[in-house]
Amino acid sequence: MRLAICLFSLGLPLLMSGCGGGGGGSASGTAGGGSTDAGGIGQTLTLSLPTNGLAPADLAVLVAEGDPLSEAVGAAYLAARGVPAANLIKVKLGTASDSLSVAEFAALKADVDARLPAGVQATLLTWARPSRVVGACSMGITSAMTLGFDTRYCNPTPASTPCATTAASPLYDSEARRPQAELQLRPSMLLGASSLAAAQALIGRGVAADGTQPSGDGWLVRTSDTLRAVRWTDFAPLPAAWRGALALNYVDNSSGSSAADAPAGKAGVLFYQTGLASVANLSTLQFRPGALADTLTSFGGVLPTALGQMPITAWLDAGATASYGTVEEPCNFAEKFSRASVLIDQYWRGATALEAYWKAVQQPGQGLIVGEPLARPFPDNPSFAIVNGEYQIKTRSLRPGSLYRLQYRRSGSSDWTTLATFTGVRGQVLDGRSPLPPAAAVQIRWQGPCPADVASSCTLAQSP
């Protein structure tokens, strides 16, 4: 094919002036946190921290009306996941062809956009085909549904420019929790099953994954296929980076024989990323519910044939819960495939399979995402409570290396004073403490990286 500055130990939160580590709060800048102003409400103020990960009510399920498989899969999904009946959208769509024309897709998307209930943040497509939109170039149907068909996201001039970068996705490694509300994008996934039995098994794996908090295993493989192994520089540091939180394995077979390119007989597989046109030994692996797996190759997203390569649905058939591949020649730009460091981090911090994959691909226009969208092995169940005269803050969603602040405001003032600061640490759940604000405080807020610009700080939650 063509750290945190200040660390904390779980269970041993620290209170340190001038340094609020991952589990401790900064006492600096509290400006009278122990005040007992008469008649104030400050020391009773609380807020609700934002939750990471979409819920069933956030998802619309799109069904090809008159297609028996699509209608059966849609009904099965609603029943298994509790998606509201109002979120089932029946569309007029021919399912005999593997692709849609740009005009056919434009009519489909306009119809869907006009009928989606308010508040829907993502979509699931329940047909087996079509899987791509073909015009001057090709986009995966999930990318076209999310971004709209636009040749900036694919390659309209392959004859003159056979290898070209494409437009980046605003979702890439973002902190968006409500993508439609915050970025005006609804990420999409194709369920990808060719039979009702396969769909039910896939949905069952997604449901079974929820809340399991598995420790691994992950297999990140640098193969002897030099062209397809370009993601190895991202793979190599991850086992050490996640030590103590996830069991990740980096395999370097770059100088080995092709017969050793694919691990065999492995159990408990949660992540598997590699670079091969076709991956051997899948039938010998045991995937955990919620497993994410993909390979960097040209045509894995061209369903059902993959033009002679391995279709991404082979991962689902082997027991994975979601996968990703491209529908036209991407060349071996790593940016057009999932980045393991981002995929694993987003998933671990509470994202669903749908969100984790969408946030892990920088240039996804030529790509297709398949699987069970709401699988969430690492749910984020944040809490913010007053315990023994101080705030106790628990969440797994802090972005590694990013700063979060708890602040308060007094009546009649527009100035905010910091009570505590916290820094996200990879693979560590925050269990932090903060002093209460003075009694004269009338409002508190939680600040952290902005949904669309992680380098800037935004208010993520605020008391009434």
Side-chain angles (χ1 to χ4, degrees), residues 285-311:
L285 305 179
Q286 296 178 27
F287 287 93
R288 291 181 184 271
L292 309 182
D294 61 71
T295 182
L296 190 154
T297 194
S298 296
F299 302 117
V302 179
L303 301 180
T305 66
L307 302 184
Q309 299 182 357
M310 189 181 89

Side-chain angles (χ1 to χ4, degrees), residues 61-202:
V61 177
L62 276 54
V63 167
E65 188 172 15
D67 182 291
L69 176 59
S70 180
E71 293 201 0
V73 170
Y77 197 84
L78 260 65
R81 278 299 189 184
V83 174
N87 288 16
L88 180 70
I89 308 295
K90 292 188 176 184
V91 297
K92 300 292 185 182
L93 176 73
T95 57
S97 174
D98 297 335
S99 63
L100 279 179
S101 70
V102 173
E104 290 170 326
F105 172 74
L108 169 67
K109 191 169 189 325
D111 179 43
V112 170
D113 289 347
R115 296 165 56 198
L116 286 173
V120 164
Q121 301 296 309
T123 61
L124 172 65
L125 316 181
T126 61
W127 48 84
R129 55 185 185 178
S131 60
R132 62 193 186 279
V133 181
V134 179
C137 52
S138 296
M139 291 182 69
I141 195 167
T142 54
S143 292
M145 286 296 299
T146 304
L147 302 165
F149 185 87
D150 188 328
T151 57
R152 294 182 305 124
Y153 294 109
C154 49
N155 184 7
T157 57
S160 60
T161 313
C163 291
T165 58
T166 56
S169 165
L171 283 162
Y172 176 67
D173 202 18
S174 77
E175 290 299 295
R177 291 177 170 87
R178 310 288 296 169
Q180 171 59 23
E182 295 163 344
L183 302 178
Q184 292 73 60
L185 295 175
R186 292 188 181 93
S188 183
M189 180 177 272
L190 180 76
L191 194 121
S194 58
S195 71
L196 180 57
Q200 290 171 326
L202 173 60

Side-chain angles (χ1 to χ4, degrees), residues 106-432:
L108 169 67
K109 191 169 189 325
D111 179 43
V112 170
D113 289 347
R115 296 165 56 198
L116 286 173
V120 164
Q121 301 296 309
T123 61
L124 172 65
L125 316 181
T126 61
W127 48 84
R129 55 185 185 178
S131 60
R132 62 193 186 279
V133 181
V134 179
C137 52
S138 296
M139 291 182 69
I141 195 167
T142 54
S143 292
M145 286 296 299
T146 304
L147 302 165
F149 185 87
D150 188 328
T151 57
R152 294 182 305 124
Y153 294 109
C154 49
N155 184 7
T157 57
S160 60
T161 313
C163 291
T165 58
T166 56
S169 165
L171 283 162
Y172 176 67
D173 202 18
S174 77
E175 290 299 295
R177 291 177 170 87
R178 310 288 296 169
Q180 171 59 23
E182 295 163 344
L183 302 178
Q184 292 73 60
L185 295 175
R186 292 188 181 93
S188 183
M189 180 177 272
L190 180 76
L191 194 121
S194 58
S195 71
L196 180 57
Q200 290 171 326
L202 173 60
I203 296 166
R205 292 196 296 274
V207 173
D210 293 352
T212 52
Q213 298 188 0
S215 60
D217 288 347
W219 293 91
L220 308 169
V221 184
R222 182 183 185 183
T223 68
S224 62
D225 187 332
T226 304
L227 289 177
R228 294 179 173 88
V230 294
R231 293 187 291 178
W232 74 269
T233 55
D234 183 54
F235 294 170
L238 295 183
W242 282 93
R243 186 173 293 122
L246 288 174
L248 303 180
N249 304 277
Y250 172 60
V251 178
D252 187 345
N253 191 50
S254 56
S255 300
S257 71
S258 60
D261 274 336
K266 305 301 181 182
V269 178
L270 181 64
F271 301 103
Y272 186 177
Q273 291 193 299
T274 186
L276 291 168
S278 185
V279 182
N281 303 324
L282 291 188
S283 64
T284 73
L285 305 179
Q286 296 178 27
F287 287 93
R288 291 181 184 271
L292 309 182
D294 61 71
T295 182
L296 190 154
T297 194
S298 296
F299 302 117
V302 179
L303 301 180
T305 66
L307 302 184
Q309 299 182 357
M310 189 181 89
I312 54 179
T313 49
W315 292 107
L316 306 184
D317 294 339
T321 302
S323 187
Y324 171 88
T326 49
V327 302
E328 73 170 6
E329 178 58 68
C331 296
N332 62 343
F333 291 105
E335 296 86 353
K336 295 183 180 182
F337 294 85
S338 65
R339 185 173 177 84
S341 55
V342 178
L343 183 75
I344 294 169
D345 174 64
Q346 292 282 355
Y347 210 34
W348 188 91
R349 291 196 289 124
T352 60
L354 167 70
E355 296 166 286
Y357 257 122
W358 263 102
K359 291 181 178 183
V361 185
Q362 187 174 5
Q363 298 176 19
Q366 295 164 302
L368 178 74
I369 301 177
V370 297
E372 199 285 286
L374 294 181
R376 192 160 64 127
F378 304 99
D380 178 34
N381 298 308
S383 65
F384 186 97
I386 298 173
V387 178
N388 297 326
E390 62 182 359
Y391 287 128
Q392 182 180 54
I393 305 165
K394 296 183 179 181
T395 179
R396 70 182 305 121
S397 69
L398 298 197
R399 184 182 183 88
S402 289
L403 185 67
Y404 294 76
R405 297 181 179 87
L406 180 63
Q407 299 179 318
Y408 74 88
R409 180 180 68 82
R410 294 175 183 264
S411 177
S413 174
S414 60
D415 295 330
W416 291 86
T417 301
T418 298
L419 280 168
T421 61
F422 305 91
T423 300
V425 180
R426 180 185 289 107
Q428 292 191 17
V429 177
L430 173 70
D431 186 351

